[in-house]
Amino acid sequence: MFWKTRITLTLYNIGVIGAILSLIALVIFMKSQNFLYHAENKIEDPVTFFHRSFMIILTSLILIFLGGWFISGKALVPIKKAWQKQMDFTADASHELRTPLAVIQTNLELIMGNPEETVESQTKWLENILIENKRMTKLVEDLLTLSRADANQQTLDVSSFRIDKVLDQAAESFKPLAKNKFITLNIDTNKKISFIGDQSRMYQLIVILLDNAIKYTDAGGKVTLALKQKEKSVVILISDTGEGIESEHLTKIFDRFYRVDKARARNIGGSGLGLSIAKWIVEAHHGSIDVRSYPDQGTHFTITLPYGQ
Ligand code: ADP
């Protein structure tokens, strides 16, 4: 489907390169005519002259076309990549939405099939609908965040705040979950550090990483959240002693919808968008996010954020 664009680009290139080359050819031609006229006081035989000119023009046109075709091919590479990414994203999003919709449909059919039953006796089906509906709402919210980020419409609500308090709040909300899973949650956020950025996005970032750390760590494991201060930046460390990630997956986990084990991640509520959003939040704050992981030993995320905007 890109061949039409490529031909259009090639024609543009031909126009531009052709115009430049024609100008150069014209100058050379005029100079050579001038030279012949003055030096030998005669002009070339018109038939030979036209034959030669025709061959030169034809060769130039072929070369210009090939050059234009090559340049337009190169120019299209990033466009093709972006297009493919967009297509994959749409396909993945539709696929992800299809599953909860199918579950909702099936459960509704079960309820509708037994109209004489009480609401109480149908609680199981209603709960399934509720869970899938929540999952779908979260998915749509995440998709909206990412598509707005792509379109540069997702602006940050910047203010000055205590980042240590944000980390504490996020960690607090995970204490019951960690306790239920018999995971020790270590919080090392003693330093009072002021930061300029988007407070709710920072909270969301920590929630995504803590949620993953607890999700992918078994009972008896440890999750640590630490905050460190450097001269020009704050460093947030989130590490766990969980299942870890094989090195072949490490570069892909920030890609949209990427999950190491799709079926398992879905069962524990993962859509594969969390780390893409985390990366966007960090980059929107001009920071960086790094991951180190060792299978069966654990995963360590390091976020470095420069002070202020
Ligand atoms: P999900 O919603 O599935 O957790 P994410 O984008 O947050 O999606 O993470 C992508 C994938 O990276 C996960 O499906 C999981 O396979 C892997 N992952 C992320 N964090 C961890 C972690 N702390 N330990 C092990 N695997 C992780």
Side-chain angles (χ1 to χ4, degrees):
M1 71 161 298
F2 279 97
W3 66 269
K4 275 190 197 162
T5 321
R6 191 166 179 182
I7 291 207
T8 315
L9 274 176
T10 307
L11 291 176
Y12 277 128
N13 285 332
I14 288 176
V16 175
I17 305 172
I20 296 167
L21 286 184
S22 310
L23 213 67
I24 296 170
L26 195 69
V27 172
I28 294 172
F29 174 74
M30 283 170 75
K31 279 203 162 183
S32 69
Q33 285 299 300
N34 210 14
F35 169 75
L36 284 172
Y37 186 77
H38 285 294
E40 298 167 23
N41 212 11
K42 68 177 169 82
I43 297 176
E44 207 175 2
D45 166 32
V47 179
T48 323
F49 170 73
F50 279 115
H51 181 252
R52 209 163 47 136
S53 306
F54 176 75
M55 289 312 285
I56 291 173
I57 291 169
L58 191 70
T59 318
S60 311
L61 276 178
I62 293 171
L63 286 177
I64 292 167
F65 180 82
L66 290 176
W69 185 255
F70 176 75
I71 295 171
S72 56
K74 287 266 168 215
L76 277 177
V77 171
I79 301 172
K80 273 185 187 171
K81 273 191 185 161
W83 176 261
Q84 192 53 48
K85 228 174 142 183
Q86 199 57 39
M87 297 286 279
D88 292 347
F89 185 55
T90 314
D92 285 337
S94 322
H95 184 77
E96 287 301 323
L97 285 168
R98 226 173 41 185
T99 316
L101 281 172
V103 178
I104 290 174
Q105 169 96 9
T106 317
N107 283 278
L108 276 175
E109 278 168 6
L110 279 169
I111 296 169
M112 304 283 279
N114 299 302
E116 70 286 352
E117 296 279 343
T118 61
V119 171
E120 202 182 357
S121 67
Q122 310 246 43
T123 309
K124 198 177 160 200
W125 318 128
L126 290 167
E127 264 174 8
N128 287 345
I129 293 174
L130 204 65
I131 290 169
E132 290 304 321
N133 194 52
K134 269 187 193 160
R135 192 196 291 271
M136 211 160 55
T137 308
K138 165 93 173 49
L139 186 66
V140 170
E141 267 170 18
D142 287 351
L143 285 171
L144 211 61
T145 303
L146 285 169
S147 60
R148 280 193 186 137
D150 283 348
N152 284 332
Q153 286 170 354
Q154 193 68 270
T155 46
L156 295 181
D157 186 5
V158 178
S159 63
S160 175
F161 59 93
R162 285 264 305 279
I163 196 160
D164 52 302
K165 281 193 178 170
V166 173
L167 264 63
D168 284 341
Q169 274 169 16
E172 200 60 40
S173 63
F174 279 97
K175 276 183 179 165
L177 190 66
K179 203 174 163 210
N180 274 351
K181 267 193 91 178
F182 301 101
I183 291 172
T184 313
L185 184 56
N186 293 323
I187 305 160
D188 176 11
T189 54
N190 297 327
K191 284 209 165 70
K192 292 178 183 163
I193 304 175
S194 290
F195 183 76
I196 297 174
D198 188 323
Q199 185 168 351
S200 59
R201 291 290 177 197
M202 273 303 138
Y203 182 83
Q204 186 182 10
L205 169 70
I206 307 305
V207 165
I208 291 171
L209 293 165
L210 277 181
D211 184 45
N212 277 346
I214 293 176
K215 241 173 12 191
Y216 300 106
T217 301
D218 287 334
K222 248 193 263 173
V223 170
T224 307
L225 172 68
L227 177 67
K228 297 199 184 320
Q229 191 169 21
K230 285 198 173 169
E231 201 186 325
K232 287 187 178 152
S233 55
V234 281
V235 179
I236 302 168
L237 302 153
I238 294 131
S239 48
D240 62 68
T241 57
E243 64 187 57
I245 306 163
E246 300 270 359
S247 57
E248 72 206 74
H249 299 288
L250 269 187
T251 49
K252 300 180 199 147
I253 56 169
F254 294 99
D255 292 351
R256 293 169 189 189
F257 293 112
Y258 191 83
R259 283 157 292 186
V260 175
D261 181 343
K262 241 182 180 166
R264 201 181 140 235
R266 194 183 184 279
N267 280 343
I268 49 177
S271 67
L273 291 179
L275 288 180
S276 319
I277 295 177
K279 190 165 185 258
W280 167 71
I281 296 174
V282 172
E283 286 174 355
H285 285 83
H286 311 290
S288 63
I289 178 163
D290 295 305
V291 57
R292 273 183 307 121
S293 190
Y294 309 95
D296 300 325
Q297 288 183 40
T299 305
H300 310 266
F301 283 94
T302 308
I303 297 160
T304 309
L305 298 163
Y307 283 115
Q309 288 291 295

